[in-house]
Amino acid sequence: MARIIVVTSGKGGVGKTTTSAAIAMGLAKRGHKTAVIDFDVGLRNLDLIMGCERRVVYDFVNVINGEATLNQALIRDKNCNQLYILPASQTRDKDALSQEGVGRILDELKKDFKYIVCDSPAGIERGAFLAMYYADDAFIVTNPEVSSVRDSDRMLGILSSKSRRAEHNEEPIKEYLLLTRYSPERVKLGEMLSVDDVQEILSLHLLGVIPESKSVLNASNSGTPVILDEKSDAGQAYADVIARYLGEDRPHRFIDEKKGLFGKLFGSK
Amino acid sequence: MLELTQFLTSLTQRMPTDSQHSNYHPPALEFKSTTFSVPVLVLANNDIVIIEHQLQEKIQLAPEFFKHSPVVIDLQELNKQDLNIEISELVNMLRSLDFLPIGIRGATTQQLKKALELAIPAHTGQNQAPLTTDNTKPQPVKPTPVAEPSPSTASTTLIAQPIRSGQRIYAHGDLIVLAQVSAGAEILAEGNIHVYGSLRGRALAGVQGNIEARIFCSDLQAELISIAGTYKISEDLTETVRNRPVQICLQNNTLTIKDL
Ligand SMILES: Nc1ncnc2c1ncn2[C@@H]1O[C@H](COP(=O)(O)OP(=O)(O)OP(=O)(O)O)[C@@H](O)[C@H]1O
Ligand SMILES: [Mg+2]
């Protein structure tokens, strides 16, 4: 059975697109045929992060409007042949997506793909609503700061009351927390919320903590999802996220401050 | 001074269908009998300014709940005390606050006439006041056609998932929440409220005027707590009650918070 994953947050700029690209690649690398869809009509940038912006011919809106077939619009990833990208339109306005149209295309994708990752736009308006409406799983991307946590909480309320599963009284969307841009040093200084602070408010299944990392910027500049940078901390953190999502047990590696040599040898409090 | 109570209105006529008609058309309409639950605004003061002011206070507690809420105006208390009120002013004020007056009861003949001019029908109920002021002997009290539900018969609403920011829950009876209530969420109940997770949002018990209602919670961090319209905001909560299991009740019109 195919699963639809929405990557959402409420707040903008927290790392949804970075995460969508990384997890879609991670799932595909594990051999699961995966499609990743950019729902951010008018502000597309998933194609940039995936490094396929120069191969875009048709987009999501074209397919909904019947101006192109799904096969014409899907772009096969250059690094992994199990991964396909459905880009957003840069030129249409955000009302170009219809609920019925989105449902139709997701149904079609479900026949062929194991995972369908929906990169949600920011906010709680129409675009974000459509990205989450048909979801089976939700990755809630949150930064360790109060406003981001509050917006995530708001989005969780929308998932549990406005989604298709909620409307049809089906089993609710499975919700997972992804804490991104986490900096243990700044948590220690009291400048950022800790994992526990965030969990006290959201109490969700923690899928992973992605550290604040220069490798993310490098990855997006080179158009390769950061998960392919296996030496980087963010890349490893995303690989752990995929492992946990697929049911493997992995300890959380990036929550604590990097300990000095003495700390490692003697254990520090 | 203002009290919102449950009011049931029922429409029991059934129109006969026209069997004489030569051309057969499938019936385009049908009258059905149904029962609605509508808040009743019981007035105890005839000063429109005071009423408006107090209504605004109530609205602030639950803006979404009251927005475009239908309401039946009950003038029985006023008329018992021979206090008249200008119907058109009252109706205009209610409409300006986004209420939709859909009926009046306990009104005098004069007031009823005014109400009808404003397309507001008369309702009869157990609280029906004499319809004419010159009527010397009180009319016999008619038995109500529909029983008013007592708060104790309304069922309990049980919620096991967290109530998130932006969500609003309304329970006609008691409300039990097994998880947390987030900041920015709002829970309302006509009866008692129990919250077994942290209560960080707004909790309003006895919203239809039940002053016996209580709030029980295992961790009080609320933005606002209210019982039958008497409320406290987060700032008013002292450190001695914060983050603790408490019960909240009304005693002599003041909100009292006690350790559980
Ligand atoms: N773990 C990280 N470490 C450092 N920078 C990061 C990290 N994650 C994301 N960023 C940076 O944050 C910015 C926003 O990321 P991204 O575009 O993924 O967010 P978004 O939630 O999709 O934004 P929008 O709401 O605009 O769609 C980018 O510049 C990205 O490089
Ligand atoms: Mg984005």
Side-chain angles (χ1 to χ4, degrees):
Chain A
M1 260 303 276
R3 281 195 90 76
I4 300 176
I5 303 172
V6 62
V7 178
T8 186
S9 67
K11 192 170 160 64
V14 295
K16 291 179 295 296
T17 301
T18 304
T19 299
S20 299
I23 64 162
M25 178 62 81
L27 290 165
K29 276 274 170 198
R30 292 285 196 112
H32 303 295
K33 197 170 177 194
T34 301
V36 56
I37 308 178
D38 191 347
F39 274 77
D40 210 343
V41 175
L43 282 174
R44 71 170 214 227
N45 49 33
L46 179 70
D47 50 341
L48 290 172
I49 305 233
M50 302 292 307
C52 66
E53 74 278 8
R54 284 154 62 187
R55 288 190 286 147
V56 174
V57 182
Y58 297 108
D59 58 54
F60 196 11
V61 174
N62 292 138
V63 183
I64 285 187
N65 292 346
E67 295 150 7
T69 65
L70 203 43
N71 279 335
Q72 287 175 309
L74 284 170
I75 303 172
R76 179 184 280 196
D77 185 77
K78 59 184 189 236
N79 293 301
C80 180
N81 62 10
Q82 293 286 69
L83 180 59
Y84 290 79
I85 300 117
L86 184 55
S89 168
Q90 185 74 297
T91 51
R92 310 292 182 106
D93 71 59
K94 54 190 184 331
D95 295 329
L97 298 180
S98 68
Q99 182 168 346
E100 176 274 330
V102 171
R104 194 159 29 86
I105 285 165
L106 288 175
D107 276 344
E108 212 178 318
L109 285 169
K110 273 168 119 175
K111 289 184 208 145
D112 218 23
F113 289 88
K114 180 76 208 296
Y115 293 105
I116 300 156
V117 177
C118 304
D119 178 20
S120 173
I124 53 172
E125 322 278 277
R126 187 170 172 77
F129 167 81
L130 290 175
M132 71 87 202
Y133 184 75
Y134 296 98
D136 302 304
D137 299 320
F139 286 17
I140 310 294
V141 179
T142 306
N143 290 165
E145 43 142 324
V146 175
S147 65
S148 173
V149 173
R150 176 71 72 95
D151 286 0
S152 294
D153 193 69
R154 182 85 210 269
M155 184 47 78
L156 286 162
I158 293 170
L159 292 175
S160 65
S161 57
K162 304 250 162 70
S163 63
R164 190 192 59 82
R165 282 175 173 267
E167 279 179 4
H168 292 237
N169 266 326
E170 289 172 22
E171 197 187 314
I173 295 178
K174 283 214 177 67
E175 303 157 342
Y176 300 97
L177 176 63
L178 236 103
L179 206 52
T180 60
R181 312 201 66 165
Y182 194 79
S183 157
E185 294 81 11
R186 295 190 60 194
V187 171
K188 209 172 168 208
L189 292 171
E191 295 171 359
M192 262 188 189
L193 299 177
S194 69
V195 177
D196 288 345
D197 294 336
V198 175
Q199 279 295 55
E200 193 180 320
I201 295 168
L202 296 179
S203 35
L204 286 181
H205 182 84
L206 179 67
L207 210 50
V209 176
I210 314 297
E212 171 78 23
S213 168
K214 268 191 69 180
S215 59
V216 172
L217 189 63
N218 295 340
S220 71
N221 284 339
S222 68
T224 42
V226 68
I227 197 167
L228 292 180
D229 183 354
E230 287 165 15
K231 291 204 189 70
S232 70
D233 46 1
Q236 292 172 7
Y238 276 118
D240 286 355
V241 164
I242 294 303
R244 291 189 197 103
Y245 176 69
L246 295 175
E248 297 164 27
D249 239 346
R250 290 277 172 102
H252 287 280
R253 300 191 260 175
F254 302 100
I255 296 181
D256 292 323
E257 218 181 331
K258 290 181 198 83
K259 288 172 187 159
L261 182 61
F262 281 102
K264 270 185 193 151
L265 285 177
F266 304 111
S268 64
K269 269 273 148 87
Chain B
M1 220 174 256
L2 293 167
E3 188 196 345
L4 292 167
T5 53
Q6 284 260 280
F7 177 64
L8 293 166
T9 177
S10 118
L11 180 80
T12 42
Q13 303 99 306
R14 207 175 252 270
M15 299 291 276
T17 40
D18 188 1
S19 54
Q20 316 291 70
H21 210 283
S22 47
N23 293 338
Y24 175 75
H25 289 290
L29 57 89
E30 189 186 1
F31 277 99
K32 282 197 164 169
S33 143
T34 188
T35 310
F36 292 103
S37 171
V38 178
V40 176
L41 181 64
V42 182
L43 296 181
N45 188 318
N46 65 345
D47 186 329
I48 302 255
V49 178
I50 294 181
I51 298 170
E52 178 170 13
H53 182 72
Q54 295 194 7
L55 267 178
Q56 273 166 339
E57 285 181 1
K58 300 252 178 207
I59 293 171
Q60 271 173 10
L61 294 180
E64 283 306 311
F65 176 61
F66 287 116
K67 187 157 193 191
H68 299 147
S69 170
V71 66
V72 171
I73 302 163
D74 187 327
L75 298 178
Q76 164 166 303
E77 286 302 313
L78 284 188
N79 285 327
K80 261 193 203 159
Q81 301 167 47
D82 275 336
L83 293 173
N84 192 28
I85 189 161
E86 195 46 60
I87 301 296
S88 56
E89 269 180 50
L90 175 64
V91 167
N92 286 340
M93 181 273 287
L94 288 173
R95 286 183 177 153
S96 75
L97 293 180
D98 271 345
F99 281 102
L100 299 172
I102 57 156
I104 190 164
R105 68 177 184 180
T108 64
T109 318
Q110 272 295 318
Q111 291 169 334
L112 269 186
K113 221 180 116 220
K114 289 253 180 63
L116 273 176
E117 283 166 11
L118 296 164
I120 293 180
H123 282 271
T124 50
Q126 62 183 28
N127 298 333
Q128 187 59 55
L131 282 182
T132 46
T133 37
D134 56 352
N135 206 349
T136 40
K137 55 176 179 185
Q139 287 186 336
V141 181
K142 278 183 266 168
T144 3
V146 196
E148 288 197 20
S150 69
S152 59
T153 58
S155 62
T156 298
T157 307
L158 178 81
I159 293 178
Q161 303 86 23
I163 300 173
R164 302 291 185 178
S165 177
Q167 284 188 301
R168 202 174 144 275
I169 305 289
Y170 188 96
H172 289 285
D174 284 2
L175 175 63
I176 300 177
V177 182
L178 299 178
Q180 64 183 28
V181 177
S182 291
E186 186 171 63
I187 54 176
L188 304 98
E190 290 172 20
N192 304 304
I193 290 178
H194 307 252
V195 180
Y196 291 94
S198 295
L199 171 56
R200 301 198 179 92
R202 300 154 74 94
L204 297 87
V207 287
Q208 300 283 2
N210 180 4
I211 56 171
E212 300 295 321
R214 291 176 184 220
I215 299 171
F216 302 87
C217 65
S218 58
D219 175 19
L220 177 66
Q221 305 180 29
E223 293 170 324
L224 177 143
I225 46 174
S226 159
I227 290 173
T230 305
Y231 66 93
K232 271 195 165 120
I233 54 173
S234 174
E235 258 183 24
D236 304 334
L237 301 178
T238 58
E239 286 308 316
T240 50
V241 296
R242 235 172 232 287
N243 300 304
R244 294 179 63 82
V246 293
Q247 69 160 306
I248 301 151
C249 59
L250 264 187
Q251 280 181 342
N252 307 322
N253 286 322
T254 37
L255 216 54
T256 317
I257 306 177
K258 288 182 275 194
D259 269 358
L260 261 183

